[in-house]
Amino acid sequence: MKDYVLENERILNEWCKKFVEDKLDDEEYKGYKTKGYETEDFFAKDGIMNKGKFKNDNGTIWREASGKENIKWSECPLRVLFLTKDENADEAWDVRRETFYEKGGENPLQNNTVSGSFFYQNEACLLYGLRNTTPEKMMSYDGFSWEEALRFSDEKIFARINCKKEVGGETILDSVLKDSIDKYYDYLKEQILNIDADILVCCGSQNDNNIILNTVYDIYKDEFEYVNCVEGKGTGMHYNAKQNKLAIDAYHLAFFKGGLEARYNETVGMYYEFLKYLKNTKGIDFSASHRKE
């Protein structure tokens, strides 16, 4: 069995080493050194999410690795990968530790409150919707509760990769994101190919351009093609028939315009139309054609 987790860690370690080397003569990072920080503290690791014990760090609920993430990912019937921009932070944290719980609960298994972060709310809802929609039925936004979405994210394996590993601010210019992707392209490509997801949710659409989706096209050598499954309406669905993968052109997860329900319906609704289209035209049930759970 391939060890996705171990290989991901190798790639991250090499990427971080190069990142540290690149910052040796950076005056800003020299200043951080005098304040007790190491350059590695600003490099955010990510990949397949942890599924081990819950921990509480001053009210923030996070998870340890269980050691079983690799087998869960290997056997996952539909691997979902969220491709995001960067962390909005002064210091990096490990994305793999994240949960969707609101702060403050002592025992996460007794805490049914979802995070107030629109980013995490979107991620939780989209994960639930994509994993539970079939060509026969779309999982509607009002068809599940927040508690169900939370429990689902606890139980099911999924992954997230930041395309820029260096921490950033509240917003990021497309030019800054692209420069980072270009500079560390080989590492990002290796990481995405190793994770080998079935659905790549490219959370970077802005001004009719999605740098993350464009990068996915490049990584997979233009094997993805736009799918016009609803005539006259942009679908955001891009299918790789050769490898049976789907890339979704999506907004940043923290983008609030239109509200949570509208964002959900746009993405999951078009995914549903894609599933129907692919089954009707190719005889492929994408939602059930990968691995048995």
Side-chain angles (χ1 to χ4, degrees), residues 94-115:
D94 192 326
V95 167
R96 297 167 294 189
R97 295 155 54 111
E98 293 177 354
T99 70
F100 300 143
Y101 288 92
E102 184 59 286
K103 288 185 177 182
E106 289 299 321
N107 184 345
L109 296 180
Q110 295 174 358
N111 177 355
N112 299 325
T113 306
V114 72
S115 169

mmCIF file of all heavy atoms in Angstrom, residues 94-115:
data_model
loop_
_atom_site.group_PDB
_atom_site.id
_atom_site.type_symbol
_atom_site.label_atom_id
_atom_site.label_comp_id
_atom_site.label_asym_id
_atom_site.label_seq_id
_atom_site.Cartn_x
_atom_site.Cartn_y
_atom_site.Cartn_z
ATOM 1 N N ASP A 94 -0.448 23.859 11.889
ATOM 2 C CA ASP A 94 -0.568 22.682 11.026
ATOM 3 C C ASP A 94 -2.035 22.502 10.655
ATOM 4 O O ASP A 94 -2.869 22.201 11.510
ATOM 5 C CB ASP A 94 -0.044 21.442 11.763
ATOM 6 C CG ASP A 94 0.142 20.247 10.838
ATOM 7 O OD1 ASP A 94 -0.654 20.096 9.893
ATOM 8 O OD2 ASP A 94 1.068 19.461 11.076
ATOM 9 N N VAL A 95 -2.345 22.695 9.389
ATOM 10 C CA VAL A 95 -3.724 22.596 8.895
ATOM 11 C C VAL A 95 -4.341 21.254 9.249
ATOM 12 O O VAL A 95 -5.546 21.156 9.513
ATOM 13 C CB VAL A 95 -3.754 22.808 7.364
ATOM 14 C CG1 VAL A 95 -5.102 22.408 6.770
ATOM 15 C CG2 VAL A 95 -3.438 24.265 7.025
ATOM 16 N N ARG A 96 -3.538 20.208 9.280
ATOM 17 C CA ARG A 96 -4.054 18.854 9.488
ATOM 18 C C ARG A 96 -4.688 18.671 10.861
ATOM 19 O O ARG A 96 -5.438 17.723 11.084
ATOM 20 C CB ARG A 96 -2.927 17.840 9.283
ATOM 21 C CG ARG A 96 -2.373 17.848 7.870
ATOM 22 C CD ARG A 96 -1.078 17.081 7.739
ATOM 23 N NE ARG A 96 0.017 17.717 8.483
ATOM 24 C CZ ARG A 96 1.284 17.338 8.381
ATOM 25 N NH1 ARG A 96 1.625 16.348 7.563
ATOM 26 N NH2 ARG A 96 2.232 17.945 9.085
ATOM 27 N N ARG A 97 -4.413 19.580 11.786
ATOM 28 C CA ARG A 97 -4.949 19.505 13.142
ATOM 29 C C ARG A 97 -6.342 20.139 13.255
ATOM 30 O O ARG A 97 -7.010 19.971 14.271
ATOM 31 C CB ARG A 97 -4.002 20.226 14.106
ATOM 32 C CG ARG A 97 -2.647 19.591 14.249
ATOM 33 C CD ARG A 97 -1.574 20.598 14.689
ATOM 34 N NE ARG A 97 -1.959 21.303 15.902
ATOM 35 C CZ ARG A 97 -1.376 21.146 17.091
ATOM 36 N NH1 ARG A 97 -0.388 20.277 17.214
ATOM 37 N NH2 ARG A 97 -1.751 21.834 18.132
ATOM 38 N N GLU A 98 -6.767 20.870 12.252
ATOM 39 C CA GLU A 98 -7.983 21.675 12.344
ATOM 40 C C GLU A 98 -9.250 20.837 12.500
ATOM 41 O O GLU A 98 -9.350 19.716 11.985
ATOM 42 C CB GLU A 98 -8.137 22.555 11.098
ATOM 43 C CG GLU A 98 -7.096 23.621 10.960
ATOM 44 C CD GLU A 98 -7.240 24.431 9.688
ATOM 45 O OE1 GLU A 98 -8.093 24.075 8.847
ATOM 46 O OE2 GLU A 98 -6.510 25.419 9.524
ATOM 47 N N THR A 99 -10.228 21.413 13.191
ATOM 48 C CA THR A 99 -11.593 20.877 13.237
ATOM 49 C C THR A 99 -12.543 22.027 12.936
ATOM 50 O O THR A 99 -12.125 23.180 12.821
ATOM 51 C CB THR A 99 -11.940 20.291 14.618
ATOM 52 O OG1 THR A 99 -12.060 21.362 15.570
ATOM 53 C CG2 THR A 99 -10.885 19.299 15.092
ATOM 54 N N PHE A 100 -13.824 21.714 12.843
ATOM 55 C CA PHE A 100 -14.823 22.744 12.535
ATOM 56 C C PHE A 100 -15.620 23.160 13.762
ATOM 57 O O PHE A 100 -16.713 23.716 13.656
ATOM 58 C CB PHE A 100 -15.777 22.237 11.447
ATOM 59 C CG PHE A 100 -15.083 21.882 10.155
ATOM 60 C CD1 PHE A 100 -15.506 20.794 9.403
ATOM 61 C CD2 PHE A 100 -14.016 22.622 9.699
ATOM 62 C CE1 PHE A 100 -14.875 20.475 8.203
ATOM 63 C CE2 PHE A 100 -13.372 22.312 8.508
ATOM 64 C CZ PHE A 100 -13.805 21.235 7.758
ATOM 65 N N TYR A 101 -15.081 22.905 14.945
ATOM 66 C CA TYR A 101 -15.784 23.242 16.180
ATOM 67 C C TYR A 101 -15.553 24.692 16.588
ATOM 68 O O TYR A 101 -14.466 25.239 16.396
ATOM 69 C CB TYR A 101 -15.320 22.332 17.320
ATOM 70 C CG TYR A 101 -15.826 20.924 17.200
ATOM 71 C CD1 TYR A 101 -15.078 19.953 16.543
ATOM 72 C CD2 TYR A 101 -17.062 20.564 17.729
ATOM 73 C CE1 TYR A 101 -15.542 18.656 16.422
ATOM 74 C CE2 TYR A 101 -17.530 19.261 17.619
ATOM 75 C CZ TYR A 101 -16.769 18.320 16.958
ATOM 76 O OH TYR A 101 -17.225 17.033 16.835
ATOM 77 N N GLU A 102 -16.571 25.284 17.213
ATOM 78 C CA GLU A 102 -16.420 26.608 17.802
ATOM 79 C C GLU A 102 -15.493 26.510 19.014
ATOM 80 O O GLU A 102 -15.396 25.472 19.658
ATOM 81 C CB GLU A 102 -17.794 27.140 18.231
ATOM 82 C CG GLU A 102 -17.806 28.561 18.785
ATOM 83 C CD GLU A 102 -17.273 29.596 17.814
ATOM 84 O OE1 GLU A 102 -16.042 29.625 17.633
ATOM 85 O OE2 GLU A 102 -18.068 30.366 17.258
ATOM 86 N N LYS A 103 -14.826 27.589 19.302
ATOM 87 C CA LYS A 103 -13.945 27.617 20.460
ATOM 88 C C LYS A 103 -14.750 27.540 21.756
ATOM 89 O O LYS A 103 -15.908 27.918 21.792
ATOM 90 C CB LYS A 103 -13.114 28.898 20.463
ATOM 91 C CG LYS A 103 -12.033 28.954 19.406
ATOM 92 C CD LYS A 103 -11.188 30.206 19.583
ATOM 93 C CE LYS A 103 -10.046 30.229 18.575
ATOM 94 N NZ LYS A 103 -9.188 31.421 18.757
ATOM 95 N N GLY A 104 -14.097 27.037 22.797
ATOM 96 C CA GLY A 104 -14.680 27.119 24.127
ATOM 97 C C GLY A 104 -15.172 25.833 24.730
ATOM 98 O O GLY A 104 -15.298 25.734 25.939
ATOM 99 N N GLY A 105 -15.446 24.816 23.911
ATOM 100 C CA GLY A 105 -15.957 23.570 24.466
ATOM 101 C C GLY A 105 -14.861 22.755 25.119
ATOM 102 O O GLY A 105 -13.782 22.598 24.571
ATOM 103 N N GLU A 106 -15.131 22.246 26.296
ATOM 104 C CA GLU A 106 -14.137 21.421 26.974
ATOM 105 C C GLU A 106 -14.037 20.036 26.351
ATOM 106 O O GLU A 106 -12.966 19.490 26.173
ATOM 107 C CB GLU A 106 -14.495 21.304 28.465
ATOM 108 C CG GLU A 106 -14.281 22.587 29.250
ATOM 109 C CD GLU A 106 -12.831 23.040 29.226
ATOM 110 O OE1 GLU A 106 -11.949 22.178 29.306
ATOM 111 O OE2 GLU A 106 -12.595 24.250 29.099
ATOM 112 N N ASN A 107 -15.182 19.464 26.021
ATOM 113 C CA ASN A 107 -15.227 18.131 25.432
ATOM 114 C C ASN A 107 -15.838 18.240 24.040
ATOM 115 O O ASN A 107 -17.028 18.472 23.900
ATOM 116 C CB ASN A 107 -16.073 17.191 26.299
ATOM 117 C CG ASN A 107 -16.073 15.763 25.764
ATOM 118 O OD1 ASN A 107 -15.691 15.520 24.620
ATOM 119 N ND2 ASN A 107 -16.494 14.828 26.593
ATOM 120 N N PRO A 108 -15.027 18.112 22.989
ATOM 121 C CA PRO A 108 -15.552 18.299 21.636
ATOM 122 C C PRO A 108 -16.696 17.356 21.273
ATOM 123 O O PRO A 108 -17.571 17.709 20.495
ATOM 124 C CB PRO A 108 -14.329 18.060 20.748
ATOM 125 C CG PRO A 108 -13.349 17.351 21.602
ATOM 126 C CD PRO A 108 -13.600 17.807 22.997
ATOM 127 N N LEU A 109 -16.697 16.166 21.838
ATOM 128 C CA LEU A 109 -17.758 15.224 21.498
ATOM 129 C C LEU A 109 -19.088 15.602 22.159
ATOM 130 O O LEU A 109 -20.119 15.022 21.871
ATOM 131 C CB LEU A 109 -17.344 13.804 21.877
ATOM 132 C CG LEU A 109 -16.134 13.272 21.098
ATOM 133 C CD1 LEU A 109 -15.799 11.859 21.527
ATOM 134 C CD2 LEU A 109 -16.393 13.312 19.599
ATOM 135 N N GLN A 110 -19.053 16.585 23.068
ATOM 136 C CA GLN A 110 -20.285 17.103 23.647
ATOM 137 C C GLN A 110 -20.568 18.523 23.157
ATOM 138 O O GLN A 110 -21.484 19.181 23.623
ATOM 139 C CB GLN A 110 -20.183 17.092 25.178
ATOM 140 C CG GLN A 110 -20.068 15.696 25.764
ATOM 141 C CD GLN A 110 -19.815 15.720 27.262
ATOM 142 O OE1 GLN A 110 -19.681 16.768 27.869
ATOM 143 N NE2 GLN A 110 -19.746 14.532 27.857
ATOM 144 N N ASN A 111 -19.778 18.965 22.206
ATOM 145 C CA ASN A 111 -19.904 20.317 21.675
ATOM 146 C C ASN A 111 -20.481 20.232 20.267
ATOM 147 O O ASN A 111 -19.827 19.782 19.345
ATOM 148 C CB ASN A 111 -18.522 20.984 21.638
ATOM 149 C CG ASN A 111 -18.545 22.376 21.031
ATOM 150 O OD1 ASN A 111 -19.569 22.842 20.543
ATOM 151 N ND2 ASN A 111 -17.406 23.027 21.044
ATOM 152 N N ASN A 112 -21.724 20.662 20.090
ATOM 153 C CA ASN A 112 -22.379 20.558 18.797
ATOM 154 C C ASN A 112 -22.387 21.886 18.049
ATOM 155 O O ASN A 112 -23.135 22.065 17.095
ATOM 156 C CB ASN A 112 -23.820 20.076 18.974
ATOM 157 C CG ASN A 112 -23.878 18.701 19.617
ATOM 158 O OD1 ASN A 112 -23.009 17.869 19.368
ATOM 159 N ND2 ASN A 112 -24.875 18.461 20.442
ATOM 160 N N THR A 113 -21.551 22.811 18.473
ATOM 161 C CA THR A 113 -21.543 24.148 17.885
ATOM 162 C C THR A 113 -20.459 24.261 16.827
ATOM 163 O O THR A 113 -19.274 24.075 17.108
ATOM 164 C CB THR A 113 -21.305 25.219 18.969
ATOM 165 O OG1 THR A 113 -22.270 25.055 19.998
ATOM 166 C CG2 THR A 113 -21.425 26.614 18.371
ATOM 167 N N VAL A 114 -20.870 24.576 15.602
ATOM 168 C CA VAL A 114 -19.906 24.736 14.522
ATOM 169 C C VAL A 114 -19.177 26.063 14.686
ATOM 170 O O VAL A 114 -19.688 27.014 15.292
ATOM 171 C CB VAL A 114 -20.602 24.669 13.149
ATOM 172 C CG1 VAL A 114 -21.415 25.932 12.890
ATOM 173 C CG2 VAL A 114 -19.609 24.428 12.024
ATOM 174 N N SER A 115 -17.971 26.123 14.170
ATOM 175 C CA SER A 115 -17.179 27.342 14.229
ATOM 176 C C SER A 115 -17.930 28.517 13.616
ATOM 177 O O SER A 115 -18.688 28.367 12.659
ATOM 178 C CB SER A 115 -15.867 27.128 13.470
ATOM 179 O OG SER A 115 -15.178 28.335 13.293
#
